[in-house]
Amino acid sequence: MSAEPRPHMLSMQSKLPRLPIPPLKQTIDQHLAAIAPIVGSDQAALVDSHKRATEFLKPTRMTQPNSWLERWWFDYAYLSWREGLCINSNYWIAFVEDPHAYGLATPASVLVPSNPEHRQGKVWDSREYGEFQIRRAVKFIQKTLDFKDLVADGRIPVDMTRAGPLCYGPIRQDKVTTNARTITVIVEDQLYSVEVYDSAGHRKLDGDLEAELFAITADVTERRSTGDLDPAVPVLTAGHRDRWSDAYAQLEKQPQNNATLLATQESLFAVSLDTTFCDPRGSINAHQRCCKCHGIQPGHNRWYDKCANYIIDRNGAVGYNGEHSPCDALIPALMLDFVAKHVAPEYISPTTKSVGTPNYQPHIRRLRFTDVPNSVTRLIEDANKELVESARNSQSRQIRFMNYGSDWIKRAAKVSPDAFTQLALQLTYYRLHNSFAAVYETASTRQYLHGRTEATRSLTSESADFMRVMTDRASSSLDKYEGIAVSRASSSGNGIDRHIMGLRLAYRLLDPLPQEKPLTENEKDTIERFFNDPALAKSTKYQLSTSGLIPAYYFTHTGFGAVVAERGYGINYMIEPRCIKFGTESKTREAGNGSDAMLELKIICEQANEILPGDGSRL
């Protein structure tokens, strides 16, 4: 008998519980446990923190928020952030390349194996567009629209966990994706609007959409030759938010420019067609530079304010750049996994043509930025300087650990693959910097209505002890293996960051209710002492900002920026059954290799469980 179909993704929203407000003492107890390994041997600081926290519990008349996190998190985690979105905030994902690609551009010179750039690859600029590039772009556009239609028709089944259904609130709230009929195509910083549905809701055919993209690239190529290109306004979306805000305020006063801004905002998603390509093909470290910030002209030819921006290079390699505010990366990742799986089997052949309307005539709708004020031109120049410097300071690596994956970890290490990977990352940092890192690990709260994420503070006193054991030459493999189990049995820091943020904002922004007496000066001083605790600040300076993504074979790499410049790392990872993919970003030249720790932990588990290397019979 076949299993009953799952209900569609939005049908369970009314059954989801609201995000709970934790008991205050529980949060404070977990906070004190979380700061202990950060404070380390400084007992005076630890005693002081305990005193601040204990006194903080006394003003019980300080109200906790009722409607809770959603609005505050949206405003303070994203909209108040002023640093540029490029690298610092937006995330990037890239997809496996099509092995049947044809008509590819070739580099001006061949990278020989002795060249250190060969391993990482190099980005070249062809100054042209390719047929395969455009046809592959259309495939990604159409499969994304397929997913949109499935959502609109209620045909995407809800994700279920042991705790119940997960929330899809951000998708339902997104007014853009429910009504728009256009996408924005970006070519050499020029914007074009392309209708993908007609007024009756009928989808544009592949061949017709290809004709539109060919016409757009031809138009840009001609305008480039005659010097008729509009200013590179898109780069402003990549840079500092105050600069973009100033420019936006000036541009929206001009009717033509305001119309362009609105058309871009109201489109379903953006598609960037680049003239650049990576050599050799499959150079993941070169390709990720293009996905996060272009690679030749940092910050150009993207619209960083779009939640969804596909990037297709000259040779048809595809990436994605996403803005976090509407939803966290896990939601788009589900869509992108769907898209990539459905694009892969559709063979694009140079001898077969796509289905289109006979004698179809493309309609180019160029979105102009005209009469741009000199003040905005200067802001574009400033953004260029900022983005070049940001790209220069950003060090990114993509690491494919091919020795084992989740299958081996569950059978031999006997812990969760995520917990195992977190220990390896912490151990790598500890050996590299001889200090413990405050660790942010993304945890989903989608089991609650409009839930998004919480921070798991993965550094605990137990995991700190594990790292000390790992660096003690007198420790046996059994000692180290026991340390793995003990350190992951504790999760003392779970779920406190959002609560503390809510308490801080409630104290500073909310007035007392009518029946409440105002806080006394002594109570205010007690609360301020807790929020100004140096240990609290140190425990939330996350040198290791980490997040795991769904296992996705068709994703070659993923990444996001570090949140701390000094000895800080942003690390995204995908744990697959037989491999683990890491994407790292930092502003430091010091880069550890997590593969070394992963291999060491494997040896420890095998020795402790008396498993011979390569022997799968005991697993």
Side-chain angles (χ1 to χ4, degrees):
M1 295 176 62
S2 60
E4 293 185 6
R6 285 183 291 164
H8 70 79
M9 62 191 301
L10 297 177
S11 65
M12 308 294 286
Q13 293 294 104
S14 63
K15 296 179 174 59
L16 292 173
R18 291 189 177 275
L19 187 67
I21 301 174
L24 183 56
K25 189 176 186 306
Q26 172 184 302
T27 292
I28 297 304
D29 289 344
Q30 292 179 343
H31 156 69
L32 291 173
I35 66 172
I38 295 294
V39 172
S41 60
D42 190 347
Q43 289 300 309
L46 192 59
V47 169
D48 180 59
S49 294
H50 273 263
K51 183 179 180 181
R52 292 174 190 249
T54 301
E55 292 175 347
F56 178 75
L57 286 170
K58 295 177 182 178
T60 55
R61 287 184 284 109
M62 187 188 73
T63 59
Q64 298 196 62
N66 284 322
S67 57
W68 191 201
L69 186 61
E70 183 177 10
R71 184 72 249 175
W72 281 346
W73 181 247
F74 188 67
D75 288 345
Y76 287 91
Y78 295 110
L79 301 188
S80 296
W81 177 258
R82 306 321 294 157
E83 296 301 319
L85 297 183
C86 179
I87 302 174
N88 298 309
S89 181
N90 283 25
Y91 60 93
W92 53 91
I93 296 175
F95 307 90
V96 295
E97 295 184 16
D98 189 330
H100 305 295
Y102 64 88
L104 304 182
T106 56
S109 59
V110 178
L111 293 177
V112 296
S114 60
N115 188 330
E117 285 291 314
H118 178 77
R119 180 176 62 85
Q120 298 209 0
K122 185 175 180 179
V123 181
W124 299 86
D125 193 350
S126 69
R127 306 294 287 167
E128 65 178 17
Y129 302 91
E131 178 181 286
F132 178 79
Q133 170 191 20
I134 288 175
R135 297 184 69 185
R136 186 157 159 87
V138 168
K139 291 295 184 185
F140 272 81
I141 293 169
Q142 295 285 37
K143 297 308 176 186
T144 303
L145 297 176
D146 284 347
F147 188 86
K148 174 194 175 296
D149 291 344
L150 291 173
V151 171
D153 295 341
R155 287 186 285 152
I156 298 291
V158 65
D159 276 344
M160 299 290 293
T161 67
R162 292 178 181 176
L166 298 183
C167 180
Y168 286 91
I171 291 181
R172 192 173 194 175
Q173 290 179 314
D174 192 340
K175 296 179 181 178
V176 172
T177 59
T178 58
N179 299 318
R181 303 201 322 251
T182 66
I183 63 172
T184 299
V185 177
I186 313 174
V187 184
E188 298 183 37
D189 288 312
Q190 309 303 294
L191 305 182
Y192 293 80
S193 179
V194 175
E195 286 194 354
V196 290
Y197 296 94
D198 62 22
S199 58
H202 300 132
R203 183 91 66 82
K204 186 165 287 186
L205 298 174
D206 280 13
D208 299 349
L209 195 49
E210 288 174 12
E212 297 281 355
L213 299 190
F214 277 118
I216 287 171
T217 54
D219 185 65
V220 171
T221 302
E222 174 64 23
R223 293 182 184 280
R224 183 210 307 155
S225 67
T226 60
D228 185 29
L229 297 178
D230 288 343
V233 171
V235 75
L236 290 167
T237 69
H240 196 278
R241 303 303 290 170
D242 288 346
R243 182 191 299 115
W244 174 221
S245 178
D246 291 344
Y248 192 102
Q250 297 181 59
L251 293 170
E252 69 175 345
K253 293 177 182 178
Q254 302 166 287
Q256 172 63 61
N257 295 335
N258 186 52
T260 292
L261 292 171
L262 291 176
T264 304
Q265 291 168 0
E266 293 172 356
S267 63
L268 284 162
F269 52 89
V271 175
S272 297
L273 300 177
D274 288 354
T275 57
T276 55
F277 64 96
C278 299
D279 177 66
R281 290 194 76 214
S283 303
I284 56 176
N285 284 293
H287 191 198
Q288 62 85 19
R289 292 198 295 274
C290 294
C291 293
K292 74 175 183 179
C293 64
H294 191 281
I296 295 291
Q297 289 183 294
H300 281 259
N301 213 46
R302 314 278 185 265
W303 198 266
Y304 284 88
D305 274 351
K306 293 298 286 184
C307 181
N309 190 161
Y310 285 105
I311 300 146
I312 300 92
D313 78 2
R314 163 60 180 82
N315 287 345
V318 181
Y320 179 94
N321 195 289
E323 200 275 313
H324 270 105
S325 299
C327 56
D328 299 294
L330 183 59
I331 297 293
L334 298 174
M335 176 191 75
L336 298 174
D337 188 47
F338 171 93
V339 170
K341 285 178 179 176
H342 286 80
V343 166
E346 294 198 359
Y347 180 60
I348 303 174
S349 168
T351 59
T352 58
K353 298 301 179 182
S354 301
V355 175
T357 304
N359 303 316
Y360 178 81
Q361 294 299 314
H363 172 66
I364 297 178
R365 184 190 170 198
R366 189 180 178 200
L367 302 176
R368 300 292 308 276
F369 284 110
T370 61
D371 300 321
V372 173
N374 291 334
S375 56
V376 173
T377 301
R378 288 192 294 271
L379 292 176
I380 292 173
E381 294 171 355
D382 292 342
N384 279 325
K385 294 175 184 177
E386 175 197 340
L387 272 298
V388 168
E389 186 66 18
S390 296
R392 181 183 296 118
N393 293 334
S394 174
Q395 310 297 316
S396 296
R397 295 182 66 197
Q398 302 295 324
I399 302 168
R400 289 174 175 167
F401 181 76
M402 304 301 294
N403 294 78
Y404 59 88
S406 58
D407 285 352
W408 182 89
I409 295 173
K410 287 184 285 188
R411 294 172 185 170
K414 297 180 174 63
V415 297
S416 80
D418 185 84
F420 190 91
T421 304
Q422 283 287 326
L423 283 179
L425 294 175
Q426 291 183 39
L427 179 60
T428 300
Y429 188 99
Y430 183 72
R431 285 185 165 153
L432 184 64
H433 297 291
N434 196 32
S435 65
F436 299 121
V439 184
Y440 178 112
E441 179 185 359
T442 300
S444 176
T445 56
R446 288 177 58 219
Q447 68 270 33
Y448 299 105
L449 184 65
H450 294 182
R452 293 192 56 164
T453 63
E454 175 58 273
T456 297
R457 298 194 187 188
S458 298
L459 176 68
T460 64
S461 295
E462 290 77 10
S463 62
D465 289 341
F466 165 74
M467 284 178 271
R468 294 188 186 99
V469 169
M470 287 294 295
T471 53
D472 183 357
R473 294 183 179 179
S475 298
S476 67
S477 292
L478 185 59
D479 293 333
K480 296 174 180 178
Y481 180 74
E482 289 177 349
I484 294 174
V486 171
S487 65
R488 297 315 305 178
S490 170
S491 57
S492 61
N494 285 352
I496 64 175
D497 282 53
R498 308 295 186 262
H499 191 196
I500 291 176
M501 183 193 81
L503 291 168
R504 189 193 302 265
L505 292 172
Y507 166 65
R508 294 183 177 171
L509 300 178
L510 299 183
D511 294 326
L513 296 173
Q515 67 271 24
E516 291 181 325
K517 293 181 180 179
L519 292 169
T520 66
E521 291 304 314
N522 285 339
E523 289 172 331
K524 290 179 181 179
D525 182 66
T526 296
I527 293 168
E528 290 285 356
R529 278 178 51 77
F530 175 78
F531 288 137
N532 294 326
D533 185 359
L536 173 60
K538 187 177 181 180
S539 70
T540 55
K541 186 180 179 181
Y542 294 114
Q543 290 103 336
L544 271 181
S545 180
T546 71
S547 182
L549 205 58
I550 59 173
Y553 170 79
Y554 291 100
F555 296 176
T556 58
H557 61 264
T558 60
F560 59 85
V563 297
V564 174
E566 182 182 0
R567 298 197 306 182
Y569 302 85
I571 302 178
N572 192 252
Y573 54 89
M574 295 180 287
I575 307 174
E576 298 180 1
R578 300 195 176 190
C579 72
I580 304 175
K581 302 171 185 175
F582 296 93
T584 71
E585 195 280 336
S586 67
K587 280 75 177 173
T588 176
R589 300 286 174 178
E590 301 168 294
N593 189 343
S595 298
D596 295 339
M598 297 292 289
L599 289 171
E600 184 177 2
L601 293 179
K602 182 176 187 293
I603 293 172
I604 290 168
C605 293
E606 288 178 338
Q607 291 178 345
N609 291 298
E610 298 182 350
I611 300 170
L612 295 176
D615 179 12
S617 62
R618 295 288 302 277
L619 304 184

